[in-house]
Structures are given as C-alpha cells and as structure tokens.
Amino acid sequence: MKYTVFPTIDLQEVPQEEIDKRNLVPRKSVNESKTLMKCQHYAELFPHKMIKTIADDGTEELSFPYPTYEGEELNTLLSGPEWSSSESII
C-alpha cells in the first residue's frame, strides 16, 4: 500500500463530514505539521491537486504533488522522530 505525506493545513480544504463519511483517520506527525494518508484516499479527497501528465503515446498518468512511501521506506519514515513520539504513556 502506498502512502503520501502532505501539509496538515491542506485538510482544512476538506469538510470534516467528508473525512468522517469515508471513515478516515489521517495520521499526523508529532508536531502535527504533516499528515500521512493512503494515496488512494488522498486522490479521492484532493483530485484537483493531482498532477496529470500525458506520455508521448497519449496515455495519461496521475502523480502526487507530495512524496509517496511504501514498504521499508514507509517503515523507516514512521520510526523516525518526526512520526513517533518518545513520550511514554502511563
């Protein structure tokens, strides 16, 4: 599964009802400045931000305006200090 990281402020463009309707719970970074979301859900909520390119053969391809992560790269990102808090829950 592929995920994208984008500025949390972008979520203000989407009504909370839309997020709730899709049962989404976006994961925010420790300082809440960035949000992690499945690419599929990002594309559904922000179709206007997707980048469309047309290849020489005429085929269209959509890409994300922000970095995408999957597999070990995603695990490394989430284990970093920006995404995992060192505070212990008592």
Side-chain angles (χ1 to χ4, degrees), residues 6-84:
F6 60 95
T8 300
I9 197 161
D10 287 2
L11 284 175
Q12 291 178 0
E13 297 175 24
V14 181
Q16 185 62 44
E17 300 81 40
E18 195 63 32
I19 294 171
D20 294 343
K21 179 174 83 173
R22 298 171 192 272
N23 294 317
L24 300 179
V25 183
R27 180 172 176 172
K28 295 181 182 172
S29 60
V30 173
N31 68 6
E32 297 192 1
S33 66
K34 296 179 183 176
T35 298
L36 178 79
M37 183 179 285
K38 287 181 182 176
C39 287
Q40 170 191 348
H41 296 147
Y42 181 89
E44 291 170 1
L45 292 175
F46 301 101
H48 59 283
K49 292 193 179 217
M50 299 300 292
I51 300 168
K52 185 193 308 188
T53 54
I54 300 175
D56 292 337
D57 65 1
T59 58
E60 293 181 3
E61 184 176 311
L62 289 176
S63 58
F64 294 85
Y66 300 108
T68 59
Y69 302 88
E70 63 184 327
E72 192 55 40
E73 191 177 35
L74 177 63
N75 291 336
T76 301
L77 174 78
L78 293 177
S79 65
E82 192 172 20
W83 292 93
S84 60

